[in-house]
Amino acid sequence: MSAVVTLAVWISLAGLASAQEATSAAAARALFDEGVALADAQDWSAAAERFDRALHLRDSTVIAFNLGLAIGHTGRVVEAAELFRRCVRDREADAALRARARTELDAITSRIAWVTVLVSGDSAGAALVIDGATHPAELVGAPIPLDPGEHQVSFARGDIAVAAVTFSLAPGERAEQRVEIRSDAAPEMASARGIDLDLDPAAVAGASSSPPPRDDTGVWVGVGIGIGVVVATAIIVAVALSAPGETPYSGTLGARQIGP
């Protein structure tokens, strides 16, 4: 089980630029200590949440390392690897910490799964979406690192998904996933927008043309005047349309470090 690093150093608030910075540093230290306790109890999700908040308050390689340990235990191996890589690259970090980060990085890298997305069909204008997040189209055809488990890859034009596949990856697995954008994707998009695709083209064309004018002219027929009898006949013709609706590492001072 990986040990949570608690390098010894006193954090001095003297010289902080403002009271706000002092408050943030104190809060970060408190969150860091809570995270260490939770990690010792193997409550990795809660520990990750404390370390993440502490890192937002104070940028620290030590906090980043501990966050990597915690989220790695929750299965978020891609993020954990990046945090360990950051620690290894920090030349100002404690040498022991960097060595531990290298060990953790090597171990967790073997757990990362990789998928290469291959697309067939017309992908013009379609965005690549992985687990609900949009990614650059340049990732298509390139190995993509993912956490082990179930994933969904789709392509979308606007808010409309034109293709989607769901698949699972084992730790360290490398796989290809083909996504087919069908030729009938465009009609499906139109239907999703509420366009009635079953209308007869002629009927649609007719509906779009202007209706014939209404004839309100009266026609009078057979008007005659005779002696004592007046016959008047009126015929009105109208046309109407109707529409179909993790044991702590102690340093020289015995205090936990949260910053290099």
Side-chain angles (χ1 to χ4, degrees), residues 201-212 241:
V204 173
S208 64
S209 61
S210 301
L241 299 177

PDB file of all heavy atoms in Angstrom, residues 201-212 241:
ATOM      1  N   PRO A 201     -43.927  14.846 -50.934  1.00  0.00           N
ATOM      2  CA  PRO A 201     -43.250  16.050 -51.440  1.00  0.00           C
ATOM      3  C   PRO A 201     -44.212  16.999 -52.129  1.00  0.00           C
ATOM      4  O   PRO A 201     -44.119  18.215 -51.983  1.00  0.00           O
ATOM      5  CB  PRO A 201     -42.203  15.509 -52.408  1.00  0.00           C
ATOM      6  CG  PRO A 201     -41.946  14.115 -51.924  1.00  0.00           C
ATOM      7  CD  PRO A 201     -43.252  13.629 -51.391  1.00  0.00           C
ATOM      8  N   ALA A 202     -45.128  16.447 -52.856  1.00  0.00           N
ATOM      9  CA  ALA A 202     -46.068  17.323 -53.557  1.00  0.00           C
ATOM     10  C   ALA A 202     -46.941  18.061 -52.565  1.00  0.00           C
ATOM     11  O   ALA A 202     -47.249  19.240 -52.730  1.00  0.00           O
ATOM     12  CB  ALA A 202     -46.929  16.491 -54.509  1.00  0.00           C
ATOM     13  N   ALA A 203     -47.319  17.352 -51.464  1.00  0.00           N
ATOM     14  CA  ALA A 203     -48.154  17.993 -50.462  1.00  0.00           C
ATOM     15  C   ALA A 203     -47.395  19.100 -49.771  1.00  0.00           C
ATOM     16  O   ALA A 203     -47.934  20.154 -49.457  1.00  0.00           O
ATOM     17  CB  ALA A 203     -48.625  16.958 -49.437  1.00  0.00           C
ATOM     18  N   VAL A 204     -46.062  18.836 -49.514  1.00  0.00           N
ATOM     19  CA  VAL A 204     -45.235  19.866 -48.877  1.00  0.00           C
ATOM     20  C   VAL A 204     -45.134  21.075 -49.776  1.00  0.00           C
ATOM     21  O   VAL A 204     -45.235  22.218 -49.348  1.00  0.00           O
ATOM     22  CB  VAL A 204     -43.826  19.316 -48.554  1.00  0.00           C
ATOM     23  CG1 VAL A 204     -42.928  20.427 -48.063  1.00  0.00           C
ATOM     24  CG2 VAL A 204     -43.931  18.197 -47.529  1.00  0.00           C
ATOM     25  N   ALA A 205     -44.913  20.795 -51.072  1.00  0.00           N
ATOM     26  CA  ALA A 205     -44.798  21.913 -52.004  1.00  0.00           C
ATOM     27  C   ALA A 205     -46.099  22.682 -52.052  1.00  0.00           C
ATOM     28  O   ALA A 205     -46.121  23.912 -52.072  1.00  0.00           O
ATOM     29  CB  ALA A 205     -44.450  21.376 -53.400  1.00  0.00           C
ATOM     30  N   GLY A 206     -47.210  21.951 -52.037  1.00  0.00           N
ATOM     31  CA  GLY A 206     -48.490  22.634 -52.076  1.00  0.00           C
ATOM     32  C   GLY A 206     -48.734  23.464 -50.852  1.00  0.00           C
ATOM     33  O   GLY A 206     -49.272  24.558 -50.912  1.00  0.00           O
ATOM     34  N   ALA A 207     -48.275  22.926 -49.685  1.00  0.00           N
ATOM     35  CA  ALA A 207     -48.500  23.660 -48.436  1.00  0.00           C
ATOM     36  C   ALA A 207     -47.694  24.930 -48.397  1.00  0.00           C
ATOM     37  O   ALA A 207     -48.058  25.891 -47.733  1.00  0.00           O
ATOM     38  CB  ALA A 207     -48.140  22.768 -47.253  1.00  0.00           C
ATOM     39  N   SER A 208     -46.567  24.943 -49.152  1.00  0.00           N
ATOM     40  CA  SER A 208     -45.717  26.124 -49.104  1.00  0.00           C
ATOM     41  C   SER A 208     -46.173  27.204 -50.076  1.00  0.00           C
ATOM     42  O   SER A 208     -45.695  28.326 -50.046  1.00  0.00           O
ATOM     43  CB  SER A 208     -44.269  25.728 -49.424  1.00  0.00           C
ATOM     44  OG  SER A 208     -44.197  25.250 -50.754  1.00  0.00           O
ATOM     45  N   SER A 209     -47.080  26.849 -50.987  1.00  0.00           N
ATOM     46  CA  SER A 209     -47.532  27.853 -51.943  1.00  0.00           C
ATOM     47  C   SER A 209     -48.692  28.647 -51.368  1.00  0.00           C
ATOM     48  O   SER A 209     -49.329  28.245 -50.414  1.00  0.00           O
ATOM     49  CB  SER A 209     -47.956  27.161 -53.249  1.00  0.00           C
ATOM     50  OG  SER A 209     -49.029  26.278 -52.984  1.00  0.00           O
ATOM     51  N   SER A 210     -48.956  29.779 -51.954  1.00  0.00           N
ATOM     52  CA  SER A 210     -50.020  30.644 -51.447  1.00  0.00           C
ATOM     53  C   SER A 210     -51.375  30.069 -51.821  1.00  0.00           C
ATOM     54  O   SER A 210     -51.571  29.548 -52.919  1.00  0.00           O
ATOM     55  CB  SER A 210     -49.882  32.049 -52.052  1.00  0.00           C
ATOM     56  OG  SER A 210     -48.628  32.583 -51.724  1.00  0.00           O
ATOM     57  N   PRO A 211     -52.346  30.131 -50.915  1.00  0.00           N
ATOM     58  CA  PRO A 211     -53.675  29.600 -51.216  1.00  0.00           C
ATOM     59  C   PRO A 211     -54.358  30.477 -52.251  1.00  0.00           C
ATOM     60  O   PRO A 211     -54.083  31.663 -52.372  1.00  0.00           O
ATOM     61  CB  PRO A 211     -54.378  29.656 -49.853  1.00  0.00           C
ATOM     62  CG  PRO A 211     -53.688  30.755 -49.131  1.00  0.00           C
ATOM     63  CD  PRO A 211     -52.261  30.693 -49.568  1.00  0.00           C
ATOM     64  N   PRO A 212     -55.270  29.889 -53.053  1.00  0.00           N
ATOM     65  CA  PRO A 212     -55.979  30.680 -54.054  1.00  0.00           C
ATOM     66  C   PRO A 212     -56.857  31.718 -53.393  1.00  0.00           C
ATOM     67  O   PRO A 212     -57.315  31.538 -52.266  1.00  0.00           O
ATOM     68  CB  PRO A 212     -56.817  29.621 -54.790  1.00  0.00           C
ATOM     69  CG  PRO A 212     -56.968  28.506 -53.806  1.00  0.00           C
ATOM     70  CD  PRO A 212     -55.696  28.481 -53.033  1.00  0.00           C
ATOM     71  N   LEU A 241     -60.444  27.205 -48.026  1.00  0.00           N
ATOM     72  CA  LEU A 241     -59.408  26.160 -47.938  1.00  0.00           C
ATOM     73  C   LEU A 241     -59.321  25.625 -46.508  1.00  0.00           C
ATOM     74  O   LEU A 241     -59.472  26.380 -45.563  1.00  0.00           O
ATOM     75  CB  LEU A 241     -58.026  26.727 -48.329  1.00  0.00           C
ATOM     76  CG  LEU A 241     -57.930  27.264 -49.748  1.00  0.00           C
ATOM     77  CD1 LEU A 241     -56.557  27.865 -49.983  1.00  0.00           C
ATOM     78  CD2 LEU A 241     -58.214  26.169 -50.760  1.00  0.00           C
TER      79      LEU A 241
END
